[in-house]
């Protein structure tokens, strides 16, 4: 019997995460695979030890963003899906934009300069420079975040400065606001080089379409241009599976907004009926 680990965050207790873990367990069992859940806190204290002291899995599904732990598992010779480097790129919206530049169409982007705790963004001229380039309103995104919680819309320079006050010393980027896609996007779920499902997300009360923030959803069939953009983004980052968020450009052209290395696919399952866990388990089984 093949054996695998599902590595999960030790501290997130949201039910929608637990449901995804159950999807994986059931999908593995259905294929005669033993899948053991490992919390990050159970493993992290042993980064400098042989990680195989905890077992000898045939594969690891890394359903978290602890890139240091993922790298430690790789260094121990384990087959990790997704790999640490790809997770790190997706975790940072700045690194994602850098990695995808010139490979896919994206909204115009300006990165905030780096600062430090206790210093903050005491000089703000770069905000005016970004606004002049991107126009107002513009989107401000913290580099790290999920479910749209750390994404803001600045309609004026005053609002932009207030948002930066809230962000503090955390890294962020500024992007043009794609008016033709306000409150709507497409989530494309990919496993390997295949699109397994897609859903159209929309919110009439918020510029963000995230279902967690009150958005609605319906099953969606991507067109050729959307499929090409989503698959190109996944391949450029080197992902085994992911969720790619696409915006609608001025003339309907797809713009890659974000790429998620471990998309929470409970909503996608409810919307499309496609169980991404089964697709991922099948993909891994063919490669071990």
């Amino acid at each position: 019997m093949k054996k695998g680990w599902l590595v999960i965050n030790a501290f997130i207790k949201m039910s929608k995460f637990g449901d995804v873990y159950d999807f994986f367990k059931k999908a593995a069992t259905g294929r005669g695979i033993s899948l053991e859940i490992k919390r990050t806190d159970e493993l992290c204290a042993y980064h400098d030890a042989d990680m195989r002291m905890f077992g000898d899995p045939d594969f690891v599904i890394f359903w978290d963003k602890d890139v240091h732990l993922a790298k430690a598992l790789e260094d121990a010779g384990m087959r990790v899906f997704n790999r640490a480097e790809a997770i790190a790129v997706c975790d940072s919206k700045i690194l994602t934009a850098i990695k995808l530049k010139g490979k896919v169409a994206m909204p115009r982007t300006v990165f905030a300069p780096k600062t430090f705790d206790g210093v903050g963004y005491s000089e703000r001229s770069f905000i005016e420079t970004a606004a002049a380039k991107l126009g107002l309103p513009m989107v401000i995104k913290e580099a790290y975040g999920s479910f749209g919680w750390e994404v803001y819309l600045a309609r004026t320079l005053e609002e932009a400065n207030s948002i930066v006050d809230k962000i503090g010393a955390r890294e962020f980027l500024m992007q043009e606001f794609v008016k033709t896609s306000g409150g709507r996007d497409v989530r494309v779920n990919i496993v390997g080089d295949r699109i397994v499902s897609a859903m159209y997300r929309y919110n009439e009360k918020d510029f963000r379409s995230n279902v967690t923030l009150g958005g609605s959803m319906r099953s969606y069939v991507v067109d050729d241009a959307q499929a090409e953009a989503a698959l190109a983004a996944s391949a450029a980052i080197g992902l085994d599976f992911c969720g790619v968020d696409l915006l609608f450009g001025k003339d309907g052209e797809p713009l890659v907004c974000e790429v998620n290395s471990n998309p929470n696919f409970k909503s996608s399952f409810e919307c499309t009926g496609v169980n991404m866990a089964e697709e991922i388990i099948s993909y891994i089984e063919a490669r071990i």
Side-chain angles (χ1 to χ4, degrees):
M1 174 182 286
K2 296 292 186 180
K3 299 178 294 182
W5 289 354
L6 175 64
V7 177
I8 68 171
N9 188 275
F11 313 108
I12 296 176
K13 307 299 183 183
M14 295 169 64
S15 61
K16 65 190 304 180
F17 282 79
D19 291 339
V20 167
Y21 307 154
D22 289 340
F23 282 143
F24 274 118
K25 289 280 289 183
K26 292 176 182 177
T29 299
R31 289 184 169 271
I33 296 173
S34 173
L35 187 65
E36 182 181 0
I37 291 179
K38 291 285 191 181
R39 299 195 319 269
T40 52
D41 64 329
E42 296 176 304
L43 301 173
C44 70
Y46 298 90
H47 280 192
D48 60 346
D50 182 359
M51 302 301 291
R52 292 189 180 274
M53 67 185 292
F54 296 100
D56 191 21
D58 296 296
F59 66 91
V60 175
I61 300 174
F62 205 88
W63 209 254
D64 192 45
K65 299 179 179 181
D66 188 339
V67 295
H68 308 297
L69 176 56
K71 186 63 168 62
L73 296 174
E74 290 173 8
D75 288 347
M78 298 185 188
R79 292 286 303 278
V80 181
F81 305 84
N82 283 300
R83 293 184 61 82
E85 181 179 357
I87 294 171
V89 170
C90 289
D91 190 28
S92 167
K93 295 176 177 62
I94 293 175
L95 290 180
T96 299
I98 292 172
K99 188 73 171 179
L100 295 182
K101 183 178 181 181
K103 300 180 178 68
V104 297
M106 299 185 70
R108 290 177 298 152
T109 302
V110 174
F111 309 136
K114 186 174 181 60
T115 188
F116 303 92
D117 288 333
V119 178
Y121 293 100
S122 55
E123 168 57 52
R124 300 289 179 88
S125 61
F126 70 91
I127 297 177
E128 294 184 19
T129 301
K133 177 178 180 179
L134 304 175
L136 291 169
M138 68 179 177
V139 177
I140 297 178
K141 297 180 180 180
E142 295 186 33
Y144 301 94
S146 302
F147 304 116
W149 288 330
E150 296 81 11
V151 179
Y152 318 95
L153 186 65
R155 296 172 179 82
T156 65
L157 286 175
E158 290 74 18
E159 286 187 358
N161 277 284
S162 294
I163 291 167
V164 173
D165 288 339
K166 177 180 179 180
I167 290 175
R170 296 187 294 275
E171 297 178 11
F172 70 93
L173 67 158
M174 295 156 284
Q175 288 185 327
E176 67 173 315
F177 175 53
V178 183
K179 297 180 177 64
T180 49
S181 199
R184 65 191 188 110
D185 70 3
V186 175
R187 162 61 61 86
V188 183
N189 291 317
I190 295 172
V191 178
D193 58 359
R194 294 176 50 245
I195 293 174
V196 299
S197 66
M199 63 177 181
Y200 176 75
R201 305 185 300 186
Y202 56 99
N203 191 334
E204 297 179 355
K205 298 181 179 180
D206 199 308
F207 77 100
R208 299 163 296 183
S209 61
N210 303 74
V211 175
T212 302
L213 297 177
S216 300
M217 58 186 176
R218 60 176 172 81
S219 185
Y220 185 85
V221 178
V222 298
D223 62 28
D224 290 345
Q226 290 169 328
E228 182 179 355
L231 290 169
S234 177
I237 297 174
L239 291 153
D240 296 296
F241 47 80
C242 65
V244 180
D245 296 339
L246 300 177
L247 302 179
F248 296 88
K250 181 179 179 181
D251 297 314
E253 73 278 12
L255 302 175
V256 176
C257 179
E258 295 181 10
V259 183
N260 306 274
S261 61
N262 54 334
N264 191 297
F265 54 84
K266 181 184 178 183
S267 295
S268 294
F269 173 72
E270 293 171 346
C271 179
T272 67
V274 176
N275 186 342
M276 196 172 178
E278 293 180 352
E279 299 286 348
I280 292 172
I281 292 293
S282 177
Y283 170 85
I284 292 174
E285 185 179 31
R287 286 159 177 78
I288 59 173

